[in-house]
Amino acid sequence: MDSEDKSFKEETVGKKFLIVTVISVLIIFAIAFVFGIYYFGILGVFNLLGVEYESLYSLFLFVIFYFLLGLIGEIVIKALMILVSAFSINNFATMLFEFLINFLVNWSIISILNLLMQSIHISMVTQVIAASIISVIEITLENYTKKKPS
């Protein structure tokens, strides 16, 4: 057996620490990248729609809470989409239902955060528009990755 073909258990403590540290840093960077996309995306949408927020820190908290509640919302969306896929509905009806579910989940998250956070003020019309934009982007990206050729 070559010295190159050692299993992880046979590595020295220093190499194990280096491997775990590198993998941890990569995971942290991946999560930070996704969070950055959410942060700057929501910042851009809010600037376009004229949402009032007291500071960038309050927007940062909004994005953190949106991200956390969005994880729960994604579970709900996936569960409902699994139920819908069990029925043989045409493609347009499925996409419309997927948009409706995404829209309602996103709108509810934005509404809850608007009620709980005193530092951000989002009008009802802006909530609907933002939830629609986010839903269209999510569905488009999801369908693009499903249809992407290998």
Side-chain angles (χ1 to χ4, degrees):
M1 180 183 254
D2 275 0
S3 63
E4 301 281 328
D5 294 336
K6 289 183 185 178
S7 71
F8 185 73
K9 291 179 184 179
E10 296 171 350
E11 294 291 344
T12 64
V13 176
K15 280 191 177 182
K16 285 181 184 179
F17 179 75
L18 179 67
I19 292 170
V20 170
T21 302
V22 168
I23 291 173
S24 299
V25 167
L26 288 173
I27 290 172
I28 289 169
F29 278 140
I31 291 171
F33 180 75
V34 171
F35 180 78
I37 289 173
Y38 267 89
Y39 180 76
F40 290 112
I42 289 178
L43 178 66
V45 169
F46 281 4
N47 280 336
L48 287 174
L49 298 176
V51 173
E52 298 175 15
Y53 49 90
E54 290 179 5
S55 66
L56 290 176
Y57 180 72
S58 63
L59 184 65
F60 178 77
L61 288 177
F62 181 88
V63 173
I64 286 176
F65 292 135
Y66 181 85
F67 191 71
L68 293 175
L69 290 174
L71 293 174
I72 297 167
E74 282 296 318
I75 294 170
V76 171
I77 291 169
K78 295 297 180 193
L80 289 172
M81 290 313 298
I82 288 171
L83 290 174
V84 167
S85 67
F87 301 106
S88 58
I89 301 175
N90 65 22
N91 196 21
F92 179 74
T94 303
M95 282 182 34
L96 188 61
F97 183 76
E98 185 177 3
F99 172 77
L100 182 64
I101 295 300
N102 268 296
F103 169 76
L104 290 174
V105 168
N106 285 314
W107 189 19
S108 64
I109 292 170
I110 292 170
S111 296
I112 289 169
L113 291 176
N114 186 43
L115 288 173
L116 295 178
M117 295 184 69
Q118 301 299 319
S119 59
I120 292 183
H121 308 288
I122 309 171
S123 70
M124 185 65 67
V125 173
T126 305
Q127 289 177 23
V128 170
I129 293 170
S132 299
I133 291 171
I134 294 169
S135 298
V136 167
I137 291 171
E138 285 179 355
I139 291 170
T140 303
L141 290 176
E142 186 174 312
N143 288 336
Y144 176 75
T145 56
K146 283 182 186 175
K147 294 179 183 179
K148 189 176 179 181
S150 299

